[in-house]
Amino acid sequence: MTDEATDAMLDAEAAIAGRVKQDVSRSLYDALFPDEDSVWEGQTVPDRFIEGGTIFARRRYPAHLEFFDAGLTYRERCFMAANRVGKTIVGAYELTAHLTGRYPDWWTGRRWEHPIRAWAAGRTNETTRDIVQATLLGDVRPVVDGQKGVTGTGVVPGALVGEVSWKAGVADLVDTVRVRHKTGEWSLLGFKSYQQGRGSFEGTGQQVIWCDEEPDESVYGECLVRTATTNGMIYLTFTPLAGRSQVVKSFLPTDWRPDV
């Protein structure tokens, strides 16, 4: 190879590396929870964190920051709150931090310094796809060159999204996706739904499990088992529409629990 060809190849590699770095820096993940209110010009995520193109400063969300911080101490956490207060964004943001290892400077919660195995789960196949998956990965991209993918416009930076596999029998629902960790290796994220039943949550150990919407007691118990041998964590983000269920009561102060 001539010197000119070598220089051209190195220039091309540098350009690709620079573009990936630029794409990551423009990601929604890096834009969320800023020091001050800031303007977001990317694709809008349907959440009150982004209103009229503005992403609000993290100091406006003390409860959300307290939830992140609690991960350092507690293996089980629950963000139980009303609708439209950013529960799903909170769940997706923390999961992205763990999958990539790219924690913000202000992060005081738990950290994983190596790639992880994780699950993200929703109530049904459809809500897992339309809410959890879309928030994390963006929309489903039409088939190109025989392969279907995702747009990478969700909280997980698109430049860090790797190989995607699809769940059989459910249109456009991701089964697993690889996410590039800061070490250069890959984290593995699987998507689950409570609709699949407790049995679908059996199997391998997981470092992190995020349940968006309340699971039933049997599914939650299985998630606890999956994280027990990994010293992992499980966190829930939901509005308690089913009232004081067993899962809800397990997170309430003792004096708030009815004697039943």
Side-chain angles (χ1 to χ4, degrees):
M1 182 179 292
T2 65
D3 291 343
E4 291 80 2
T6 300
D7 289 343
M9 182 181 69
L10 292 175
D11 288 344
E13 291 177 349
I16 292 171
R19 185 163 63 250
V20 169
K21 182 177 181 181
Q22 185 181 44
D23 288 344
V24 171
S25 68
R26 286 203 303 260
S27 71
L28 178 59
Y29 174 73
D30 290 288
L32 287 168
F33 297 101
D35 295 338
E36 303 294 340
D37 294 354
S38 60
V39 176
W40 171 246
E41 297 179 350
Q43 180 170 321
T44 299
V45 173
D47 193 278
R48 69 168 295 175
F49 271 79
I50 306 175
E51 294 183 358
T54 298
I55 297 182
F56 298 116
R58 63 180 176 274
R59 66 174 179 275
R60 298 175 182 261
Y61 301 101
H64 304 64
L65 300 181
E66 181 180 0
F67 179 74
F68 294 145
D69 292 346
L72 186 63
T73 306
Y74 298 100
R75 195 168 79 85
E76 301 174 59
R77 283 173 294 147
C78 175
F79 196 115
M80 193 186 317
N83 287 318
R84 307 301 299 164
V85 299
K87 300 185 302 297
T88 299
I89 283 288
V90 163
Y93 186 87
E94 172 156 350
L95 186 56
T96 298
H98 298 317
L99 289 168
T100 65
R102 297 175 61 246
Y103 297 95
D105 293 340
W106 50 264
W107 185 270
T108 55
R110 188 171 179 182
R111 295 174 180 245
W112 297 88
E113 299 299 336
H114 56 78
I116 64 167
R117 297 178 65 93
W119 285 341
R123 189 185 306 279
T124 68
N125 291 329
E126 289 74 22
T127 59
T128 299
R129 177 193 63 202
D130 298 343
I131 300 174
V132 180
Q133 175 182 306
T135 303
L136 285 164
L137 304 177
D139 298 327
V140 174
R141 189 185 65 220
V143 175
V144 177
D145 296 330
Q147 290 189 331
K148 182 166 64 174
V150 293
T151 58
T153 52
V155 179
V156 177
L160 303 180
V161 174
E163 180 184 4
V164 178
S165 66
W166 301 91
K167 200 173 292 292
V170 184
D172 296 336
L173 177 58
V174 173
D175 185 21
T176 63
V177 58
R178 296 188 180 276
V179 178
R180 180 76 74 176
H181 190 267
K182 69 176 184 179
T183 59
E185 299 179 354
W186 296 96
S187 293
L188 183 66
L189 171 63
F191 288 89
K192 300 282 187 180
S193 77
Y194 317 145
Q195 176 184 349
Q196 298 166 354
R198 182 194 62 80
S200 69
F201 289 80
E202 297 175 350
T204 58
Q206 305 292 317
Q207 276 83 29
V208 180
I209 298 178
W210 167 35
C211 293
D212 189 51
E213 299 305 336
E214 180 186 355
D216 64 38
E217 191 175 11
S218 65
V219 168
Y220 184 67
E222 196 62 44
C223 288
L224 287 175
V225 173
R226 295 307 118 219
T227 57
T229 59
T230 64
N231 191 29
M233 62 165 61
I234 176 171
Y235 61 91
L236 288 67
T237 54
F238 67 90
T239 300
L241 299 178
R244 293 194 179 189
S245 65
Q246 290 300 318
V247 172
V248 168
K249 286 189 289 186
S250 70
F251 286 99
L252 294 178
T254 303
D255 56 351
W256 287 16
R257 302 176 191 176
D259 295 326
V260 296

